[in-house]
Amino acid sequence: QVQLVESGGGLVRPGGSLKLSCVASGFSLSYYAIGWFRQAPGRPREGVGCFDSYAGKFFYSDSVKGRFSLSRDNSGNTAQLHLQMNRLDSDDTAVYYCAVDVDLVVRCLDHTGMDSWGKGTLVTVSS
């Protein structure tokens, strides 16, 4: 059973930084994708950044390129994905979710391909 636990959300001022972490387990670490997605009130869920194990690289949405960066750690049967968010603005306010895809049928920024989701962590950017 896939389990995902997110942490690191909170309130930050515009221009500030925040780091989110996701700890995931219960799937094969040899073939998977893991990513961060977000959903603001009244807006559709969108991909923020992800790692595709087959491609061996990170992908970012255009809206966060140059501001957000991903890093990852795999230890034993656990995958960790960290999202460093810099130069935050009010448009970044959303619930951020971590998700895993074990089929790799669609690109990892496409939320419709994700199989398992965390509960989410709220990021609020406000002065």
Side-chain angles (χ1 to χ4, degrees):
Q1 182 178 358
V2 178
Q3 292 185 318
L4 301 105
V5 179
E6 304 110 329
S7 62
L11 173 65
V12 62
R13 295 184 182 277
S17 298
L18 207 58
K19 184 175 182 179
L20 306 182
S21 293
C22 172
V23 179
S25 61
F27 56 96
S28 171
L29 297 185
S30 60
Y31 189 75
Y32 73 102
I34 185 169
W36 283 99
F37 301 80
R38 67 185 181 185
Q39 187 164 20
R43 300 183 67 176
R45 189 166 296 190
E46 64 170 339
V48 175
C50 60
F51 172 75
D52 182 316
S53 69
Y54 183 77
K57 57 191 291 187
F58 296 113
F59 297 88
Y60 298 92
S61 68
D62 289 343
S63 61
V64 306
K65 276 181 184 176
R67 297 190 300 125
F68 292 10
S69 63
L70 289 166
S71 61
R72 66 185 192 96
D73 297 300
N74 282 6
S75 177
N77 295 323
T78 298
Q80 295 188 46
L81 186 69
H82 310 287
L83 180 67
Q84 177 65 46
M85 305 184 293
N86 300 322
R87 302 195 333 255
L88 286 159
D89 62 41
S90 57
D91 287 342
D92 297 314
T93 294
V95 177
Y96 284 70
Y97 299 90
C98 182
V100 164
D101 175 12
V102 298
D103 301 311
L104 301 184
V105 174
V106 300
R107 64 190 188 102
C108 62
L109 282 176
D110 184 345
H111 68 91
T112 64
M114 292 293 156
D115 302 303
S116 302
W117 292 84
K119 294 181 179 180
T121 185
L122 177 62
V123 172
T124 303
V125 184
S126 175
S127 56

